[in-house]
């Protein structure tokens, strides 16, 4: 009863407290502004003068069209790698002042790196007397210095947390003052690395400005400087650690209470109290908050949150501070992560700070909640922030959605700075992670931390100390030193690893299957292993996306690629190329994710990324565009079939069969749902594209525990009922759940006898072939391995990795095939308009033919989609009228080992049957010389002009 009365008294006293305590005054709106190109403002005391321009804040200079026009002389923050843009004659028209377009990342309307000044006259509320007064700048970029009237308050440099200045001794309540802020976005002695996503033009851009909240804030003179909540699920309590800061000694009382606020279940925690005596300065304190027997927990399935209310009464002054937290424990046991004791697999994507409309990460909760909910709809539960830390709004939104976050220090200490060599980055990066953990450490979604991305230098020793520090300092999350590629060293002190090396598909060397896994790559690793930047499978650009870039960055790179396609007489195929390459991309993501799910003790994956990456040469690796919108070739429902908490899996040794074989698949499941499944019944169906069912039945039934490699049974199907070439589909479904997955496979006749008819077959354009054509006959040239004009293009079955610009034309160079599936040739060869797994036998490492000199309207039957930086007209199969006859020519191997290569054998038969039919009526006419050039002409390799960006374009480090 005493505590209830005390609580009521505190509440009543709070209502009578001095107006203005814990209040704020927004400084958004018009500010005076001036660019300081020569960095002379401090010397000339611009804080004492009236600035000559105006700007609206919050915002960045590019948002407000302040700064310089982009030219070829613009000095970019970031490595360019392929700098052929600056020398290639084709690109000359894009280098003209006023018409500049960049191929390697988005082109901003304005660009400025240097010093700019912001100034505003502010009146401090009269009722803030006796208060502590601060200036709060939520996210400036990068360094700020503040003056009040003519007095310098200080300097802040952080890419992760707000810049906060104590103005108490500089302002007088009731009077106006001149607030002057100098913002400097140059890379100076603190160099986080020009490719760090916190600053690089490859992603958000290196902008000057202040975004988010800009305000004056007041607190009592005795106030909560920090509150951190440490959930203890076993103890059914939360430990609350506070730092109370006081300007003088004082006595007071602290009250803590909490209540849930985002669930249907209302849970209110009774308040606890503690009388305190504080000294001048910092006063660390601890209190326990019992959560009761029925407290709610936070995870991806039920993200229940609490709002802690901490009240500090000091005489007539009362400060109230609210802190959002969740009762969540994110721990490690062996090689797995556990959330509140339940084994969890991370299904993640990397957020690269690509936000083209603003050029910086959203500062509002709604925008981030949209992103996380889209990711959830694609079956994901995790996000890594590549070399940057998002603003507080992201943590708030992830808490609400139930998403596990790995923010990072804002650094890619490579390509210039090195970690562990005693450079300023060493201290800065440690300070930044301490600051961001203090600012965002209570958010339940903040589950993991890394110092940054792929460091160089003596970095292993540095990150070892980093992990040791955090393990000893804060048990609320788990720690890894740095997120790294496969060639980076192992980090022996890591609690978990984010590392490449156990990812990708082996289809360049062997046929597709769904049997293999990555166990050999991680079986000696003792800690949880999370894949680093999985996927990176490219898709052709969607030029319809160009109109969506209505903000600070324009897709001029897409405009260049569109021009290249048009100049090569293929502009009408842009959408087809995007859709066809997208279908192949989706197939690759499906099989790589499933391979991860099949691997014992694989703790998770991080895609790079679910959405496109606008920089580093333009990396179109997402099944979503950069705006997190669907492109049209796969939707969330289809993606969730192979990426969700519960995924049925089928171990299938191959995907092409003959009618005298038996199809066999071992069925298992990766189940990381909210709870085990009881008495689960798993069923299968095999059907063709028309819905005809060839088999169906029960795979098995029983309880399904949490984990992967859980065997459910098997499917066997004799294929003798399939009498014509056909694509079939195996679907596995766990009844009464959302878990369903499927796989296409192809069945061909066991015996095939290709009929040559009146077709002359040769492997080159020999004299007899010419003679047959002159006489009006039909010729088939099977030119596998014989083509010269096109051999510079390396084709694999899988598409371009990341992009050919950033990796200097590293193969493969193509992104799948496009064809007209209604062409009569394909009556006996089941296919869609894009690459599918049966095409592997024909396409992988097959030569392509280049048709640059063919007629403009010429269209191959099977067209290889070139890298969009070049967009040559390519193909592996074409038909044409030549001389008086009709020619069919292919660079695919359709004749060798017919007893083993059943797909090639069927293609050979389909081609001959088509050529011997009345349907063989080529529409295009090409000359004999054009065909001959395919065997003789040499195009040469495409090369970059320098190993890195030109020296004069590299950022200067003072």
């Amino acid at each position: 009863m005493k505590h209830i009365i005390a609580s009521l008294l505190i509440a009543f006293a709070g209502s009578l407290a001095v107006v203005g305590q814990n209040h704020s005054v927004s400084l958004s709106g018009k500010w005076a502004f001036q660019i300081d190109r020569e960095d002379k403002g401090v010397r000339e005391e611009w804080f004492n003068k009236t600035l000559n321009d105006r700007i609206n804040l919050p915002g960045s200079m590019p948002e407000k069209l302040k700064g310089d026009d982009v030219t070829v002389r613009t000095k970019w923050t970031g490595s360019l790698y392929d700098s052929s843009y600056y020398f290639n004659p084709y690109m000359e028209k894009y280098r003209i002042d006023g018409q500049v377009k960049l191929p390697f990342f988005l082109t901003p309307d304005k660009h400025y790196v240097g010093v700019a000044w912001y100034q505003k006259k502010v009146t401090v509320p009269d009722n803030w007397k006796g208060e502590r007064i601060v200036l709060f700048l939520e996210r400036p970029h990068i360094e700020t210095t503040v003056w009040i009237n003519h007095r310098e308050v200080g300097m802040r440099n952080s890419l992760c947390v707000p810049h906060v200045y104590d103005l108490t001794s500089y302002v007088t309540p009731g009077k106006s003052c001149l607030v002057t802020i100098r913002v400097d976005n140059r890379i100076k002695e603190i160099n986080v690395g020009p490719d760090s996503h916190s600053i690089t033009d490859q992603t958000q851009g290196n902008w000057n400005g202040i975004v988010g909240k800009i305000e004056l804030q007041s607190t009592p003179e005795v106030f909560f400087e920090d509150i951190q909540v440490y959930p203890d699920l076993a103890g059914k309590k939360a430990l609350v650690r506070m730092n109370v800061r006081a300007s003088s000694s004082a006595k007071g009382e602290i009250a803590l209470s909490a209540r849930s606020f985002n669930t249907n279940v209302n849970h209110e925690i009774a308040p606890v109290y503690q009388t305190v005596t504080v000294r001048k300065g910092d006063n660390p304190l601890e209190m326990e908050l019992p959560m009761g027997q029925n407290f709610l927990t936070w995870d991806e399935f039920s993200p229940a949150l609490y709002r802690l209310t901490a009240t500090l009464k000091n005489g007539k002054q009362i400060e109230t501070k609210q802190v959002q937290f969740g009762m969540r424990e994110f721990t490690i046991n062996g090689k797995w992560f556990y959330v509140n004791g339940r084994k969890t697999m991370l299904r993640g994507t990397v957020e690269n700070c690509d936000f083209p409309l603003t050029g910086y990460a959203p500062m509002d909760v709604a925008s981030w909640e949209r992103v996380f909910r889209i990711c959830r709809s694609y079956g994901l539960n995790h996000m890594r922030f590549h070399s940057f830390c998002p603003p507080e709004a992201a943590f708030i939104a992830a808490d609400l959605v139930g998403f596990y976050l790995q923010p990072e220090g804002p650094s890619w200490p490579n390509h210039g700075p090195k970690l562990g060599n005693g450079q300023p980055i060493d201290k800065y990066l440690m300070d930044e992670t301490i600051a961001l953990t203090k600012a965002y450490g209570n958010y339940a979604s903040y589950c993991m931390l890394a110092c940054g991305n792929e460091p160089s230098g003596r970095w292993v020793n540095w990150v070892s100390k980093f992990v040791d520090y955090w393990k000893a300092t804060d048990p609320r999350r788990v720690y890894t030193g740095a997120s790294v590629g496969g060639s980076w060293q192992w980090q022996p002190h890591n609690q978990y690893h984010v590392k490449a090396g156990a990812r990708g598909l082996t289809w360049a060397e062997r046929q597709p299957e769904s049997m293999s896994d990555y166990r050999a790559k991680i079986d000696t690793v003792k800690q949880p292993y999370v894949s680093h930047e999985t996927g990176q499978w490219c898709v052709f650009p969607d030029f319809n996306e160009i109109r969506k870039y209505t903000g600070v960055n324009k897709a001029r790179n897409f405009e260049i690629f569109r021009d290249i396609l048009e100049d090569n007489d293929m502009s009408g195929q842009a959408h087809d190329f995007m859709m066809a390459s997208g279908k192949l991309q989706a197939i690759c993501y499906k099989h790589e994710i499933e391979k991860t799910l099949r691997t014992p003790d694989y703790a998770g994956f991080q895609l790079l990324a679910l959405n496109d990456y606008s920089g580093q040469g333009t990396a179109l690796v997402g099944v979503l565009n950069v705006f997190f919108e669907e492109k049209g070739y796969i939707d969330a429902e289809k993606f969730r079939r192979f990426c969700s908490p519960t995924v049925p899996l089928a171990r299938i040794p191959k995907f092409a069969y003959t009618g005298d074989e038996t199809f066999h698949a071992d069925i298992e499941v990766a189940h990381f749902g909210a709870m085990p499944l009881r008495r689960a019944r798993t069923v299968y169906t095999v059907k063709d594209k028309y819905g005809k069912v060839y088999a169906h039945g029960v795979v098995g039934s029983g309880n399904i525990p949490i984990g992967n490699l859980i065997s459910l049974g098997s499917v066997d199907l004799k294929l003798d009922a399939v009498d014509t070439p056909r694509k079939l589909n195996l679907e596995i479904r766990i009844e009464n759940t959302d878990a369903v997955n499927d796989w296409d496979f192809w069945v061909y006749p066991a015996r095939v006898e290709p009929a040559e008819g009146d077709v002359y077959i040769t492997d080159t354009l020999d004299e007899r072939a010419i003679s047959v054509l002159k006489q009006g006959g039909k010729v088939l040239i099977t030119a596998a391995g014989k083509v010269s004009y096109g051999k510079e293009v390396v084709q694999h079955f899988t598409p371009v990795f990341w992009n050919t610009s950033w990796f200097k034309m590293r193969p493969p160079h193509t992104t799948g095939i496009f064809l007209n599936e209604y062409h009569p040739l394909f009556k006996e060869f089941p296919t869609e308009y894009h690459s599918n797994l049966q095409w592997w036998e024909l396409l992988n490492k097959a030569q392509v033919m280049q048709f640059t000199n063919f007629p403009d309207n010429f269209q191959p039957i099977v067209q290889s989609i070139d890298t969009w930086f070049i967009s040559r007209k390519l193909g592996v199969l074409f038909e044409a009228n030549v001389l008086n006859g009709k020619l069919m020519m292919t660079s695919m191997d359709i004749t060798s080992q017919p007893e083993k290569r059943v797909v090639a054998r069927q293609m050979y038969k389909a081609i001959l049957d088509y050529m011997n039919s009345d349907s063989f009526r080529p529409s295009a006419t090409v000359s004999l010389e054009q065909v001959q050039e395919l065997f003789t002409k040499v195009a040469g390799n495409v090369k970059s002009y320098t190993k890195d960006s030109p020296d004069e374009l590299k950022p200067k480090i003072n």
Side-chain angles (χ1 to χ4, degrees), residues 488-716:
W488 268 256
Q489 293 172 254
W490 287 97
Q491 303 163 58
H493 290 220
N494 279 2
Q495 289 184 291
Y496 70 99
H497 302 282
V498 176
K499 199 173 194 298
R503 69 181 192 195
L505 298 169
T506 59
W507 295 351
E509 307 303 328
R510 55 188 64 90
Q511 70 177 355
E513 41 73 28
S514 61
M515 304 286 290
S516 61
D517 56 42
Y518 300 107
R519 73 180 71 194
K521 301 291 183 69
I522 67 170
D523 58 357
T524 60
V525 182
K526 296 180 180 179
Q527 300 81 19
Y529 188 104
V530 181
S531 71
H532 176 72
E533 301 176 358
T534 282
Q536 305 183 53
W537 308 111
C538 276
V539 64
F540 201 81
D542 179 7
F543 299 138
N544 292 323
E545 191 181 311
I546 294 173
R547 62 188 176 88
K548 299 179 180 181
Y549 291 80
T550 57
V552 301
N553 293 310
K554 303 299 190 296
R556 309 297 186 208
N557 47 354
F558 279 37
E559 293 175 13
I560 293 175
F561 307 144
R562 183 180 59 187
D563 291 348
I564 294 171
L565 194 69
E566 183 174 0
D567 289 346
N568 287 313
D569 305 307
M570 293 181 286
S571 59
Q573 293 184 279
H575 182 73
D576 292 332
F577 286 175
M578 185 273 292
M579 290 293 293
S581 61
K583 288 292 187 180
L584 175 60
Q585 179 200 52
I587 290 169
C588 291
Y589 276 114
K590 170 182 170 65
H591 282 266
E592 188 168 6
I593 290 172
E594 288 182 358
K595 189 172 181 177
T596 304
L597 296 175
R598 289 195 302 268
T599 303
D601 295 325
Y602 210 138
F605 61 84
Q606 295 172 348
L607 303 177
L608 186 62
L610 186 66
N611 64 324
D612 283 338
Y613 184 103
S614 299
Q616 293 186 5
T618 308
L620 306 177
V621 297
V623 298
L624 303 179
N625 66 26
V626 70
F627 303 101
F628 285 91
E629 297 169 337
E630 290 180 357
K631 299 179 185 179
Y633 50 81
I634 190 171
D635 60 18
E637 182 181 359
K638 291 289 179 61
F639 200 89
R640 280 200 310 275
R641 288 191 162 216
F642 55 84
C643 180
S644 61
T646 306
V647 178
L649 299 166
R651 292 187 182 263
I652 304 171
K654 61 180 182 177
F655 293 96
Y657 295 82
T658 57
D660 59 351
E661 293 183 279
T662 297
F663 173 85
H664 175 82
D666 291 317
I667 310 303
E668 59 188 48
V669 65
H671 174 57
F672 294 92
M675 59 187 66
L677 300 177
R678 296 178 59 81
R679 295 187 292 277
R681 188 170 183 260
T682 303
V683 298
Y684 77 94
T685 304
V686 177
K687 58 187 176 182
D688 64 18
K689 69 176 182 178
Y690 303 109
K692 178 181 178 180
V693 175
Y694 286 77
H696 65 91
V698 178
V699 175
S701 60
N703 297 334
I704 298 176
I706 291 175
N708 65 341
L709 306 178
I710 300 163
S711 178
L712 300 179
S714 62
V715 172
D716 289 281

Side-chain angles (χ1 to χ4, degrees), residues 1-11 273:
M1 188 67 177
K2 178 181 178 182
H3 282 170
I4 295 174
I5 294 172
S7 179
L8 291 172
L9 288 173
I10 290 174
Y273 304 89

Side-chain angles (χ1 to χ4, degrees), residues 737-755:
T737 74
D738 295 328
V740 58
N741 202 356
D742 68 290
W743 299 263
D744 292 333
F745 63 98
W746 288 260
V747 184
Y748 301 96
R751 283 168 295 280
V752 174
E753 297 180 2

Side-chain angles (χ1 to χ4, degrees), residues 12 16 138 178 219 247 266 305 332 340 400 447 457 480 500 616 670 726 784 826 838 859 870 884 912 921 948:
F12 181 68
L16 300 177
E138 186 171 5
L178 189 65
T219 70
S247 57
N266 182 30
L305 294 168
I332 289 171
N340 305 334
L400 293 171
C447 299
T480 193
Q616 293 186 5
R726 194 168 298 277
F826 298 116
Q838 89 278 24
Q859 178 65 38
I870 307 172
N884 300 315
L912 287 174
R921 296 190 295 268
D948 202 342

